[in-house]
Amino acid sequence: MLTEAEKAATLWIQTGFTDRTVIQAAVAEPLLAGQSVVGVAPTGSGKTLAYGIPALSRLVPGAGLQLVIIVPAQELAIQIRDVLTPLAKTLGLGFQGLIGSANRERQVKKLREKPEAVVATLGRFVDLLEERKVVLEEVKTLIVDEFDSFEPDALRDILSFRRGGLPKQANLGLFSATDNPTIVSEFQAAWPDLQVINETSTDNSRGVVHHLLLDRQQAGKIQVLENLAREKHQRVFVFFNHKHVLQKVASELRFKHVPASMLVTDGRQVQRAEALQDFRSGRVPLLLTTDVAARGLDVADVTAVVNFELPDTLTTYIHRTGRTGRQGANGTVYNLGDDHDLRDLRKLVGDRVALETEPGEKKAYRKSAAHSAGADETRGVERQTGAGHRPGKRLTSAEEEAASAKKRKKKKQRWRNKKNVGKHW
């Protein structure tokens, strides 16, 4: 009979990864030993396998529900289910997804097969727990993925598991791309041995990511998306704060025959799945989404992130922009807004992120020759990294941009054929 460590080694071989990431190596031993950990590492650093493999390795076939993974979004639950189910089967374990939009009766029927592990959205899991369709008495490990995205009421529901039948010896795993000491302290009251493992500064899996500031009004923002979509081999997350703005932009892109998909929380499950599949496969270069809908999603080879509406917290900015520049690849972040918006973003990120001023733009916050020299350097870097800029004349004000957009529409010419538009954006 294999030991837990031997089981974990077998699963790592099955994944095909020869080297573990920093976070995977750091949390493996504590989780295998049944310790409680907070695992913080950049988006795309392999946190699902970091907790999934050691947690699965501790389970005993036929001993009831022993692993519960709680996540904030349905797509994230599906993603985790698809990643961990083959590994669970290797160990003779059942693994089930419990999400709110799926057929409840089919989920209850499958629960009768007594899976050893589940991944669930919180609302559906709490409903099933209250009706005793799932029980916590045999649970060995509770994982909360993207823990810092849950609302206070939701966190209280998760903490209530401790009083609702979760064994005292069950260990806890909190995982995310950003730390939240306030949330961690609340869980430490219930799990005093909770150990924080933050590998944000030591993780070296990230490539070079350029964070650009682009002064744009609405028409100019649409033009940025159109230009990106016309470039070859683009896979771009486009983030919004408000669903009505997202839907309006999607409509404008359809009018311009720009291929784009929408991922929103209240869409039908089939539609969301199709949108995500079209994006992952490369059939559609743009995925328009909100933070809640896209939280924790792992999509390979994301070339760029566009903040169509700028985030209002540093945590949100980090989660959004972490989707590009994964596994050593380079990436670009386009921050769109007016001068006031971009100033606020500079204050928001502080020294945490190196924001680059758009080449050719004369901004009030560029006050020295050193800034001008930096713009020349940035221009050269962008050409080297394929950010989509080409030599030529560029727009320098919202008025000129609006006039150019009107002219393009009137003449019904594609943006690549314009003399003064589309070569820089």
Side-chain angles (χ1 to χ4, degrees):
M1 185 174 180
L2 296 177
T3 66
E4 294 176 353
E6 289 171 335
K7 291 179 183 179
T10 299
L11 296 184
W12 279 114
I13 293 172
Q14 182 175 333
T15 66
F17 293 113
T18 56
D19 297 317
R20 301 185 195 182
T21 65
V22 176
I23 189 65
Q24 289 169 352
V27 304
E29 188 174 336
L31 286 176
L32 274 175
Q35 297 177 15
S36 296
V37 301
V38 179
V40 181
T43 301
S45 57
K47 291 187 288 294
T48 299
L49 292 179
Y51 65 71
I53 287 181
L56 288 173
S57 301
R58 299 182 66 223
L59 308 188
V60 178
L65 181 61
Q66 302 159 69
L67 170 61
V68 175
I69 304 171
I70 300 295
V71 298
Q74 298 181 39
E75 276 69 31
L76 179 55
I78 294 170
Q79 175 181 287
I80 293 171
R81 181 201 64 191
D82 292 345
V83 170
L84 297 185
T85 296
L87 301 179
K89 286 183 178 179
T90 298
L91 300 179
L93 304 170
F95 196 99
Q96 183 177 352
L98 303 172
I99 59 176
S101 65
N103 185 282
R104 187 179 183 282
E105 293 308 312
R106 281 200 293 266
Q107 290 179 352
V108 171
K109 183 178 180 180
K110 192 173 181 180
L111 282 171
R112 297 192 187 113
E113 300 175 9
K114 298 183 178 180
E116 287 80 6
V118 300
V119 56
T121 51
L122 181 60
R124 175 55 55 92
F125 188 78
V126 170
D127 287 345
L128 294 171
L129 186 64
E130 290 176 345
E131 296 178 15
R132 299 288 295 176
K133 303 299 183 182
V134 292
V135 294
L136 301 174
E137 281 77 5
E138 301 299 327
V139 171
K140 293 184 175 181
T141 302
L142 171 64
I143 300 291
V144 185
D145 204 349
E146 301 292 339
F147 72 90
D148 59 337
S149 68
F150 285 93
E151 295 294 330
D153 288 346
L155 291 171
R156 282 191 285 271
D157 286 339
I158 297 172
L159 283 166
S160 70
F161 295 169
R162 198 64 158 166
R163 303 185 302 273
L166 188 70
K168 185 177 181 180
Q169 67 273 20
N171 68 320
L172 172 73
L174 303 178
F175 286 84
S176 189
T178 54
D179 193 9
N180 188 314
T182 301
I183 295 176
V184 171
S185 65
E186 292 178 3
F187 278 90
Q188 280 177 327
W191 280 270
D193 65 332
L194 190 59
Q195 174 188 1
V196 178
I197 301 175
N198 192 329
E199 299 294 347
T200 303
S201 60
T202 56
D203 184 272
N204 57 3
S205 63
R206 303 279 293 164
V208 177
V209 178
H210 294 281
H211 299 251
L212 305 181
L213 300 173
L214 278 67
D215 189 344
R216 294 292 186 272
Q217 302 296 327
Q218 182 73 7
K221 291 182 179 183
I222 297 293
Q223 186 65 47
V224 170
L225 300 185
E226 185 176 355
N227 291 353
L228 282 170
R230 303 300 184 198
E231 294 288 330
K232 291 183 179 180
H233 311 302
Q234 290 287 347
R235 188 174 282 116
V236 183
F237 268 105
V238 186
F239 281 98
F240 296 81
N241 300 334
H242 304 94
K243 191 180 75 171
H244 71 275
V245 178
L246 185 157
Q247 292 172 329
K248 180 179 179 182
V249 170
S251 178
E252 292 188 46
L253 291 176
R254 281 195 296 269
F255 179 77
K256 290 174 172 285
H257 303 289
V258 177
S261 293
M262 292 193 305
L263 183 65
V264 292
T265 55
D266 58 355
R268 293 177 57 237
Q269 179 61 38
V270 173
Q271 293 174 329
R272 294 201 304 269
E274 289 178 351
L276 197 52
Q277 179 57 33
D278 286 344
F279 184 61
R280 281 185 164 134
S281 66
R283 288 192 294 269
V284 174
L286 305 179
L287 183 67
L288 281 56
T289 186
T290 60
D291 298 296
V292 174
R295 194 65 184 267
L297 287 182
D298 184 15
V299 179
D301 302 322
V302 174
T303 55
V305 169
V306 175
N307 286 319
F308 197 95
E309 293 183 283
L310 299 179
D312 55 7
T313 69
L314 178 59
T315 296
T316 301
Y317 189 88
I318 292 171
H319 278 280
R320 287 184 180 184
T321 60
R323 285 170 171 77
T324 189
R326 295 184 176 190
Q327 301 304 315
N330 294 335
T332 307
V333 176
Y334 298 92
N335 296 298
L336 312 182
D338 58 26
D339 185 71
H340 177 75
D341 295 330
L342 300 181
R343 284 177 183 271
D344 286 347
L345 182 64
R346 280 185 174 274
K347 294 178 182 177
L348 181 71
V349 303
D351 297 331
R352 182 70 179 265
V353 178
L355 297 174
E356 304 176 16
T357 305
E358 181 182 9
E361 287 292 302
K362 295 181 179 179
K363 298 297 178 188
Y365 44 72
R366 294 176 62 189
K367 298 179 180 179
S368 65
H371 282 94
S372 298
D376 292 335
E377 294 174 4
T378 302
R379 187 193 305 269
V381 168
E382 287 175 348
R383 287 174 180 165
Q384 294 171 15
T385 57
H389 299 278
R390 298 185 179 88
K393 202 171 181 179
R394 66 174 295 108
L395 298 171
T396 57
S397 70
E399 291 77 15
E400 290 177 1
E401 189 173 276
S404 295
K406 183 177 181 181
K407 186 177 181 180
R408 288 196 302 274
K409 183 176 180 180
K410 181 178 179 181
K411 292 184 177 182
K412 296 182 179 179
Q413 292 181 332
R414 293 179 62 184
W415 70 274
R416 289 181 183 273
N417 297 326
K418 295 303 298 176
K419 182 178 180 181
N420 297 322
V421 180
K423 297 182 179 181
H424 286 298
W425 28 276

mmCIF file of all heavy atoms in Angstrom, residues 196-215:
data_model
loop_
_atom_site.group_PDB
_atom_site.id
_atom_site.type_symbol
_atom_site.label_atom_id
_atom_site.label_comp_id
_atom_site.label_asym_id
_atom_site.label_seq_id
_atom_site.Cartn_x
_atom_site.Cartn_y
_atom_site.Cartn_z
ATOM 1 N N VAL A 196 1.152 31.043 7.193
ATOM 2 C CA VAL A 196 1.118 31.846 5.974
ATOM 3 C C VAL A 196 2.380 31.575 5.162
ATOM 4 O O VAL A 196 3.499 31.756 5.642
ATOM 5 C CB VAL A 196 1.008 33.343 6.284
ATOM 6 C CG1 VAL A 196 1.027 34.158 4.988
ATOM 7 C CG2 VAL A 196 -0.268 33.631 7.068
ATOM 8 N N ILE A 197 2.183 31.146 3.917
ATOM 9 C CA ILE A 197 3.284 30.903 2.977
ATOM 10 C C ILE A 197 3.070 31.816 1.780
ATOM 11 O O ILE A 197 2.229 31.553 0.919
ATOM 12 C CB ILE A 197 3.336 29.428 2.536
ATOM 13 C CG1 ILE A 197 3.528 28.518 3.749
ATOM 14 C CG2 ILE A 197 4.455 29.210 1.526
ATOM 15 C CD1 ILE A 197 3.475 27.037 3.422
ATOM 16 N N ASN A 198 3.801 32.914 1.749
ATOM 17 C CA ASN A 198 3.647 33.916 0.688
ATOM 18 C C ASN A 198 4.867 33.857 -0.224
ATOM 19 O O ASN A 198 5.969 34.221 0.164
ATOM 20 C CB ASN A 198 3.495 35.309 1.298
ATOM 21 C CG ASN A 198 3.049 36.338 0.264
ATOM 22 O OD1 ASN A 198 3.372 36.233 -0.920
ATOM 23 N ND2 ASN A 198 2.300 37.344 0.715
ATOM 24 N N GLU A 199 4.642 33.396 -1.455
ATOM 25 C CA GLU A 199 5.725 33.248 -2.417
ATOM 26 C C GLU A 199 5.638 34.286 -3.541
ATOM 27 O O GLU A 199 6.198 34.088 -4.615
ATOM 28 C CB GLU A 199 5.707 31.830 -3.013
ATOM 29 C CG GLU A 199 5.890 30.715 -2.000
ATOM 30 C CD GLU A 199 7.265 30.728 -1.371
ATOM 31 O OE1 GLU A 199 8.156 31.439 -1.884
ATOM 32 O OE2 GLU A 199 7.464 30.014 -0.367
ATOM 33 N N THR A 200 4.951 35.392 -3.280
ATOM 34 C CA THR A 200 4.779 36.408 -4.308
ATOM 35 C C THR A 200 6.113 36.952 -4.792
ATOM 36 O O THR A 200 6.341 37.125 -5.996
ATOM 37 C CB THR A 200 3.914 37.565 -3.775
ATOM 38 O OG1 THR A 200 2.651 37.044 -3.336
ATOM 39 C CG2 THR A 200 3.673 38.605 -4.854
ATOM 40 N N SER A 201 7.020 37.231 -3.867
ATOM 41 C CA SER A 201 8.305 37.833 -4.247
ATOM 42 C C SER A 201 9.321 36.814 -4.728
ATOM 43 O O SER A 201 10.281 37.168 -5.413
ATOM 44 C CB SER A 201 8.883 38.599 -3.046
ATOM 45 O OG SER A 201 9.097 37.729 -1.953
ATOM 46 N N THR A 202 9.133 35.535 -4.408
ATOM 47 C CA THR A 202 10.113 34.522 -4.786
ATOM 48 C C THR A 202 9.732 33.754 -6.040
ATOM 49 O O THR A 202 10.574 33.084 -6.633
ATOM 50 C CB THR A 202 10.310 33.510 -3.635
ATOM 51 O OG1 THR A 202 9.038 32.947 -3.300
ATOM 52 C CG2 THR A 202 10.886 34.196 -2.415
ATOM 53 N N ASP A 203 8.468 33.852 -6.449
ATOM 54 C CA ASP A 203 8.029 33.139 -7.648
ATOM 55 C C ASP A 203 8.676 33.768 -8.885
ATOM 56 O O ASP A 203 8.598 34.976 -9.093
ATOM 57 C CB ASP A 203 6.504 33.195 -7.772
ATOM 58 C CG ASP A 203 6.003 32.391 -8.952
ATOM 59 O OD1 ASP A 203 5.928 32.945 -10.062
ATOM 60 O OD2 ASP A 203 5.697 31.205 -8.768
ATOM 61 N N ASN A 204 9.307 32.948 -9.702
ATOM 62 C CA ASN A 204 9.991 33.449 -10.892
ATOM 63 C C ASN A 204 9.368 32.924 -12.186
ATOM 64 O O ASN A 204 10.034 32.860 -13.219
ATOM 65 C CB ASN A 204 11.476 33.064 -10.848
ATOM 66 C CG ASN A 204 11.681 31.559 -10.731
ATOM 67 O OD1 ASN A 204 10.715 30.792 -10.735
ATOM 68 N ND2 ASN A 204 12.932 31.140 -10.628
ATOM 69 N N SER A 205 8.103 32.543 -12.101
ATOM 70 C CA SER A 205 7.445 31.977 -13.280
ATOM 71 C C SER A 205 6.910 33.051 -14.218
ATOM 72 O O SER A 205 6.483 32.740 -15.332
ATOM 73 C CB SER A 205 6.289 31.066 -12.844
ATOM 74 O OG SER A 205 5.294 31.812 -12.148
ATOM 75 N N ARG A 206 6.947 34.304 -13.792
ATOM 76 C CA ARG A 206 6.378 35.381 -14.594
ATOM 77 C C ARG A 206 7.349 35.861 -15.663
ATOM 78 O O ARG A 206 8.564 35.908 -15.461
ATOM 79 C CB ARG A 206 6.012 36.576 -13.702
ATOM 80 C CG ARG A 206 5.052 36.246 -12.585
ATOM 81 C CD ARG A 206 3.630 36.214 -13.058
ATOM 82 N NE ARG A 206 3.169 37.520 -13.457
ATOM 83 C CZ ARG A 206 2.082 37.731 -14.197
ATOM 84 N NH1 ARG A 206 1.377 36.716 -14.630
ATOM 85 N NH2 ARG A 206 1.712 38.957 -14.514
ATOM 86 N N GLY A 207 6.811 36.214 -16.826
ATOM 87 C CA GLY A 207 7.603 36.845 -17.865
ATOM 88 C C GLY A 207 7.602 38.360 -17.672
ATOM 89 O O GLY A 207 7.178 38.875 -16.641
ATOM 90 N N VAL A 208 8.078 39.087 -18.685
ATOM 91 C CA VAL A 208 8.092 40.549 -18.643
ATOM 92 C C VAL A 208 6.716 41.067 -19.057
ATOM 93 O O VAL A 208 6.205 40.737 -20.127
ATOM 94 C CB VAL A 208 9.169 41.115 -19.585
ATOM 95 C CG1 VAL A 208 9.126 42.637 -19.589
ATOM 96 C CG2 VAL A 208 10.549 40.617 -19.162
ATOM 97 N N VAL A 209 6.111 41.854 -18.194
ATOM 98 C CA VAL A 209 4.793 42.425 -18.478
ATOM 99 C C VAL A 209 4.898 43.945 -18.448
ATOM 100 O O VAL A 209 5.352 44.523 -17.463
ATOM 101 C CB VAL A 209 3.738 41.952 -17.454
ATOM 102 C CG1 VAL A 209 2.390 42.601 -17.746
ATOM 103 C CG2 VAL A 209 3.614 40.428 -17.477
ATOM 104 N N HIS A 210 4.482 44.585 -19.537
ATOM 105 C CA HIS A 210 4.485 46.043 -19.614
ATOM 106 C C HIS A 210 3.090 46.572 -19.308
ATOM 107 O O HIS A 210 2.106 46.140 -19.912
ATOM 108 C CB HIS A 210 4.933 46.498 -21.010
ATOM 109 C CG HIS A 210 6.360 46.150 -21.319
ATOM 110 N ND1 HIS A 210 7.416 46.877 -20.834
ATOM 111 C CD2 HIS A 210 6.895 45.127 -22.027
ATOM 112 C CE1 HIS A 210 8.550 46.335 -21.242
ATOM 113 N NE2 HIS A 210 8.260 45.264 -21.963
ATOM 114 N N HIS A 211 3.014 47.502 -18.365
ATOM 115 C CA HIS A 211 1.746 48.089 -17.934
ATOM 116 C C HIS A 211 1.657 49.492 -18.532
ATOM 117 O O HIS A 211 2.325 50.419 -18.077
ATOM 118 C CB HIS A 211 1.678 48.151 -16.412
ATOM 119 C CG HIS A 211 1.753 46.804 -15.755
ATOM 120 N ND1 HIS A 211 0.660 46.217 -15.143
ATOM 121 C CD2 HIS A 211 2.773 45.917 -15.615
ATOM 122 C CE1 HIS A 211 1.014 45.038 -14.652
ATOM 123 N NE2 HIS A 211 2.283 44.836 -14.925
ATOM 124 N N LEU A 212 0.818 49.649 -19.564
ATOM 125 C CA LEU A 212 0.742 50.893 -20.311
ATOM 126 C C LEU A 212 -0.457 51.737 -19.891
ATOM 127 O O LEU A 212 -1.530 51.207 -19.597
ATOM 128 C CB LEU A 212 0.661 50.604 -21.816
ATOM 129 C CG LEU A 212 1.766 49.726 -22.412
ATOM 130 C CD1 LEU A 212 1.543 49.556 -23.909
ATOM 131 C CD2 LEU A 212 3.130 50.321 -22.139
ATOM 132 N N LEU A 213 -0.269 53.048 -19.892
ATOM 133 C CA LEU A 213 -1.350 54.002 -19.634
ATOM 134 C C LEU A 213 -1.752 54.634 -20.963
ATOM 135 O O LEU A 213 -0.930 55.270 -21.622
ATOM 136 C CB LEU A 213 -0.873 55.086 -18.668
ATOM 137 C CG LEU A 213 -0.396 54.622 -17.283
ATOM 138 C CD1 LEU A 213 0.206 55.792 -16.522
ATOM 139 C CD2 LEU A 213 -1.525 53.995 -16.494
ATOM 140 N N LEU A 214 -3.003 54.470 -21.361
ATOM 141 C CA LEU A 214 -3.505 55.026 -22.613
ATOM 142 C C LEU A 214 -4.663 55.971 -22.328
ATOM 143 O O LEU A 214 -5.705 55.547 -21.815
ATOM 144 C CB LEU A 214 -3.961 53.911 -23.568
ATOM 145 C CG LEU A 214 -2.873 53.218 -24.403
ATOM 146 C CD1 LEU A 214 -1.938 52.415 -23.515
ATOM 147 C CD2 LEU A 214 -3.505 52.303 -25.453
ATOM 148 N N ASP A 215 -4.488 57.234 -22.654
ATOM 149 C CA ASP A 215 -5.526 58.253 -22.456
ATOM 150 C C ASP A 215 -6.554 58.123 -23.571
ATOM 151 O O ASP A 215 -6.306 58.494 -24.715
ATOM 152 C CB ASP A 215 -4.877 59.639 -22.472
ATOM 153 C CG ASP A 215 -5.852 60.741 -22.049
ATOM 154 O OD1 ASP A 215 -7.067 60.478 -22.037
ATOM 155 O OD2 ASP A 215 -5.389 61.844 -21.728
#
